[in-house]
């Protein structure tokens, strides 16, 4: 038994092969039947000649899309075949029948979403899922290569970290103060006192009420936290990590990027060129100068402004030093300007939006408490976290990378929903 991609080369021409997979397309006449067979590696056209199968022609004639089948025959070269070769079938076995597969051409987005479990078989989803797999692999490879330990935080959490309004509460034996993780951060910081450099890839949950092309309620979050790190060190890890991910996808997924019709020239630039670095205050100036957009200092950048900004550059933008009041309680004040924090967002080109958020962490326990109170939180709930500042505190920081945000950008997808197998949003939690 061979995988289809293994045999699609001249060395196999004239040889007997055996392949198995699913009928991707089929067409026929009363003399011939053409099946485009798909497996996880590629497609190959299989040709059934009626003369060879006269007695069972009825069965062959009725083979429908998504039937699983094993096919044996001789491999021929044929320029007209979709992948340049075809199998002249000598024998076959139907493994699982398929009748009236619901997905046919030109169906609505809604219909495809309802049938997501079947739509995963499409060329588009196959390409995206392969790239997604490369991205996960590249993240592990990057952090392990840099000497990070993989570390896991709880998903059931009793504190908020990224804003109480986007928390999912869980019915935890009738308790009301248990939430799904928005981030690993508050449970990661305690662990750097043990392991120093840690990372994870885990689900995060945000009760996002907005319907946008960049928000999911459940997404995969690659996060890292490092002891003894200053702000630039954290940013440099982020830039190198993104470059490594894109590089690996360009190496491993040329075919998939082609299927998705992704222009790869910009992705190549993201590997080769340094990312653009600017402060929030610079960003406001640029937006004013280039687009006449006047944003009051202190207001967070909105999607529209981020989009405009990223159209000016062909690589991601690393935007730093945001106003303290728009960022989370744990971000450290800039020693040179207490109105801003050493927080950073990475913005992907062409309006794909924020792919990384991170910061150096505040180590002054009184400042953290004050900012928790400002955020409407009760600091006594954070005692375990505050202990990180009581016993041997060190400069440290980290970031979180939204895996689907990165997959969406790399694949050039209209919506983040296609960057995950079963997207969860405010209006969809099935199938
Ligand atoms: O910017 P965020 O909220 O930062 C944190 O959670 C920090 N605690 C991370 C850290 O320092 N360890 O989220 C990080 C990233 C964002 O940049 C974005 O890429 C992604 O997570 N993200 C989402 N992705 C999909 N759907 C959503 N609703 C997302 N919210 C954030
Ligand atoms: Mg953010």
């Amino acid at each position: 038994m061979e995988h289809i991609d293994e045999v699609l080369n001249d060395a196999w021409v004239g040889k007997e092969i055996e392949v198995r997979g699913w009928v991707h397309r089929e067409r026929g006449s009363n003399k011939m039947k053409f099946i485009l067979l798909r497996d996880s590696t590629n497609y190959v056209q299989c040709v059934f000649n009626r003369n060879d199968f006269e007695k069972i022609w009825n069965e062959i004639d009725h083979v429908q899309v998504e039937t699983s089948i094993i096919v044996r025959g001789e491999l021929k070269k044929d320029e007209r075949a979709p992948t340049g070769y075809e199998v002249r079938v000598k024998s076959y076995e139907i493994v699982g029948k398929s009748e009236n597969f619901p997905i046919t051409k030109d169906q609505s987005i809604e219909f495809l979403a309802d049938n997501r479990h079947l739509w995963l078989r499409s060329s588009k989803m196959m390409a995206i899922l392969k790239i997604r797999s490369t991205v996960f692999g590249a993240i592990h490879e990057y952090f392990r290569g840099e000497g990070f330990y993989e570390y896991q935080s709880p998903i059931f959490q009793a504190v908020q970290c990224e804003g109480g309004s986007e928390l999912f509460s869980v019915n935890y034996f009738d308790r009301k103060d248990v939430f799904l993780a928005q981030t690993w951060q508050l449970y990661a910081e305690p662990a750097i006192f043990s392991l120093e450099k840690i990372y994870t890839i885990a689900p995060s949950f945000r009760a996002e009420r907005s319907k946008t092309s960049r928000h999911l309620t459940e997404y995969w979050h690659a996060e890292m936290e490092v002891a003894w790190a200053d702000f630039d060190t954290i940013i440099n890890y982020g830039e190198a990590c993104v470059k490594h991910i894109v590089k690996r996808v360009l190496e491993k997924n040329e075919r998939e990027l082609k299927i998705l019709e992704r222009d790869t020239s910009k992705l190549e630039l993201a590997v080769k060129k340094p990312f653009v670095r600017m402060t929030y205050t610079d960003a406001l100036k640029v937006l004013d100068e280039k687009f006449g957009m006047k944003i009051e200092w202190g207001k967070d950048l909105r999607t529209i402004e981020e989009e405009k900004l990223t159209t000016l550059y062909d690589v991601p933008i690393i935007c730093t030093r945001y106003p303290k009041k728009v960022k989370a309680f744990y971000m450290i004040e800039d020693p040179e300007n207490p109105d801003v924090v050493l927080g950073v967002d990475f913005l992907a080109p062409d309006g794909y939006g924020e792919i990384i958020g991170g910061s150096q962490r505040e180590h002054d326990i009184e400042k953290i408490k004050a900012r928790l109170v400002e955020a409407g939180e009760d600091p006594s709930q954070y005692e375990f976290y505050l202990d990180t500042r009581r016993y041997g505190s060190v400069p440290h920081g980290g970031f979180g990378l939204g895996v689907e945000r990165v997959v969406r950008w790399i694949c050039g997808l209209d919506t983040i929903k296609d960057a995950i197998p079963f997207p969860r949003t405010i209006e969809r939690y099935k199938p």
Side-chain angles (χ1 to χ4, degrees), residues 304-359:
I304 167 89
E305 287 127 19
E306 286 181 355
E307 270 176 19
K308 282 282 179 202
L309 203 59
T310 60
T311 58
L312 295 173
Y313 310 93
D314 49 17
V315 291
I317 300 172
I318 299 175
C319 190
T320 57
R321 294 179 161 81
Y322 285 82
K324 187 163 64 186
K325 51 186 172 185
V326 304
K327 288 293 186 188
F329 70 90
Y330 53 74
M331 294 191 184
I332 196 171
E333 285 173 6
D334 184 347
E336 281 156 29
N337 175 6
D339 290 338
V340 303
V341 286
L342 299 184
V344 59
D345 281 359
F346 283 48
L347 308 175
D350 300 319
Y352 287 103
E354 180 190 330
I355 50 175
I356 282 185
S359 74

Side-chain angles (χ1 to χ4, degrees), residues 8-54:
L8 290 186
N9 57 65
D10 289 353
W12 284 85
V13 170
K15 298 207 168 109
E16 288 279 317
I17 62 161
E18 185 182 34
V19 285
R20 64 183 167 196
W22 294 265
V23 174
H24 193 65
R25 287 204 292 267
E26 55 82 21
R27 67 190 161 88
S29 62
N30 61 2
K31 292 213 162 57
M32 310 273 268
K33 173 102 173 180
F34 295 92
I35 282 176
L36 186 64
L37 189 72
R38 175 191 82 243
D39 71 8
S40 63
T41 67
N42 212 329
Y43 302 83
V44 67
Q45 175 162 287
C46 303
V47 187
F48 297 72
N49 198 320
R50 184 167 185 160
N51 291 336
D52 303 330
F53 298 100
E54 193 55 60

Side-chain angles (χ1 to χ4, degrees), residues 107-137:
Q107 254 140 358
S108 70
I109 290 173
E110 212 44 36
F111 183 86
L112 295 180
D114 288 338
N115 288 279
R116 190 72 172 179
H117 53 294
L118 301 176
W119 182 238
L120 296 182
R121 306 177 186 200
S122 64
S123 309
K124 178 178 175 181
M125 285 311 299
M126 255 172 93
I128 296 167
L129 293 175
K130 285 181 186 178
I131 290 171
R132 185 179 158 95
S133 172
T134 303
V135 170
F136 274 75

Side-chain angles (χ1 to χ4, degrees), residues 178-203:
V178 181
F179 314 104
L180 295 180
Q182 294 178 309
T183 167
W184 82 331
Q185 189 182 322
L186 302 192
Y187 296 87
E189 287 184 55
I192 58 161
F193 296 81
S194 168
L195 302 172
E196 294 191 25
K197 295 166 75 173
I198 54 176
Y199 83 99
T200 201
I201 312 181

Side-chain angles (χ1 to χ4, degrees), residues 27 55 112 173 189 197 226 241 255 289:
R27 67 190 161 88
K55 285 201 188 111
L112 295 180
F173 308 111
E189 287 184 55
K197 295 166 75 173
V226 205
C241 179
R255 190 186 293 159
E289 279 163 19

